[in-house]
């Protein structure tokens, strides 16, 4: 069997678990977007010239958002990993009993990671 078959099998499995992956992706995108918004406001010349306190406040805001972003993304990532491990343990026992090829199972795991 060729690699295309295994890739399509792995993508199909990811699509079937979209209720798990879509909230993770959307929350990660929103957090990163807020961080870059604050960072761009910090680098903006208009904001720097407006008041002497604004750059200090925005740099503090960037630090706070960066800390919360790292914590939140690590938390949601651990949640996704736990769910995947639960499903993976079941799938792994089923795979070895049914004789599914190891290559198929490994390609699925690599694409999900």
């Amino acid at each position: 069997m060729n690699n295309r078959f295994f890739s399509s099998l792995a993508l199909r499995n990811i699509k079937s678990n979209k209720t798990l992956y879509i909230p993770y992706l959307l929350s990660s995108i929103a957090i990163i977007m807020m961080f870059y918004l604050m960072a761009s406001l910090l680098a903006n010349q208009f904001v720097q010239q407006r008041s002497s306190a604004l750059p200090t406040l925005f740099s503090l805001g960037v630090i706070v958002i960066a800390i919360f972003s790292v914590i939140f993304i690590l938390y949601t990532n651990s949640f996704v990993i736990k769910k995947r491990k639960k499903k993976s343990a079941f799938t792994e026992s089923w795979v070895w009993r049914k004789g599914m090829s190891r290559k198929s199972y490994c390609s699925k795991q690599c694409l999900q990671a």
Side-chain angles (χ1 to χ4, degrees):
M1 293 188 187
N2 61 19
N3 288 334
R4 235 183 213 180
F5 170 73
F6 298 121
S7 297
S8 67
L9 184 64
L11 287 174
R12 186 178 59 192
N13 288 332
I14 291 172
K15 286 179 184 177
S16 68
N17 292 323
K18 62 183 167 189
T19 58
L20 180 66
Y21 290 108
I22 287 179
Y24 170 70
L25 288 174
L26 291 178
S27 63
S28 297
I29 289 169
I31 291 291
I32 292 168
M33 191 172 59
M34 285 191 299
F35 174 76
Y36 280 113
L37 179 68
M38 288 295 288
S40 70
L41 284 174
L42 176 63
N44 192 342
Q45 291 296 324
F46 180 76
V47 171
Q48 291 178 356
Q49 294 170 356
R50 197 77 172 146
S51 174
S52 61
L54 280 179
T56 307
L57 290 174
F58 277 117
S59 63
L60 182 63
V62 166
I63 292 169
V64 168
I65 287 178
I67 291 170
F68 282 120
S69 298
V70 168
I71 292 169
F72 184 74
I73 288 176
L74 288 177
Y75 172 73
T76 55
N77 188 31
S78 69
F79 176 75
V80 169
I81 296 282
K82 277 185 205 175
K83 289 283 191 179
R84 258 187 45 213
K85 279 186 181 179
K86 238 185 237 184
K87 287 183 181 182
S88 178
F90 174 73
T91 305
E92 192 172 318
S93 67
W94 181 79
V95 164
W96 302 134
R97 268 189 275 147
K98 294 291 184 183
M100 184 186 259
S101 73
R102 291 178 188 214
K103 190 175 181 182
S104 167
Y105 181 72
C106 290
S107 67
K108 175 188 168 204
Q109 292 299 321
C110 289
L111 277 173
Q112 285 181 347

